[in-house]
């Protein structure tokens, strides 16, 4: 079954994703408390990365390197697109 993919913009970020509420949790509600992650020399591991909102924000806002893991093939394609589109593919390694 194919997922319905949509484009969601939140602030300076743009994501293709199957569920906007996941993006909202990370970008609007900040349920992951990204501001509390130290700046700089940090490795973050994002298991179940979905469309990559956490990975993108941590790479941009905290300067972290991120390992983003997403097993679903269609969502993984969105993740890759979002890393390039948000210009963080140099800081984030995506694995399926």
């Amino acid at each position: 079954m194919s997922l319905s993919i949509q484009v969601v913009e939140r602030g300076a970020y743009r994501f293709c994703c199957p569920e906007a509420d996941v993006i909202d949790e990370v970008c609007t509600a900040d349920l992951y408390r990204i501001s509390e992650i130290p700046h700089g020399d940090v490795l973050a591991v994002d298991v179940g990365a979905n469309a990559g909102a956490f990975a993108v924000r941590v790479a941009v806002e905290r300067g972290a390197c991120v390992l983003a893991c997403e097993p679903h093939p269609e969502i993984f394609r969105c993740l890759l697109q979002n890393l390039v589109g948000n210009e963080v593919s140099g800081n984030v390694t995506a694995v399926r």
Side-chain angles (χ1 to χ4, degrees):
M1 185 166 95
S2 183
L3 297 175
S4 175
I5 304 298
Q6 58 188 305
V7 175
V8 175
E9 294 186 27
R10 296 294 182 264
Y13 306 110
R14 182 182 172 117
F15 300 97
C16 82
C17 63
E19 302 174 42
D21 57 337
V22 172
I23 304 301
D24 289 334
E25 286 179 5
V26 178
C27 292
T28 306
D30 196 24
L31 296 179
Y32 296 85
R33 299 165 49 180
I34 291 170
S35 63
E36 296 179 22
I37 296 171
H39 280 278
D41 200 16
V42 173
L43 171 63
V45 179
D46 188 3
V47 178
N50 199 282
F54 175 82
V56 168
R57 282 198 60 203
V58 170
V60 171
E61 297 174 25
R62 310 318 282 177
C65 291
V66 183
L67 176 62
C69 310
E70 175 52 54
H72 191 285
E74 287 180 81
I75 298 174
F76 183 75
R77 283 191 292 279
C78 287
L79 170 62
L80 294 176
Q81 181 178 336
N82 294 333
L83 298 180
V84 171
N86 288 287
E87 301 179 356
V88 296
S89 55
N91 289 55
V92 182
T93 301
V95 294
R96 188 171 151 238

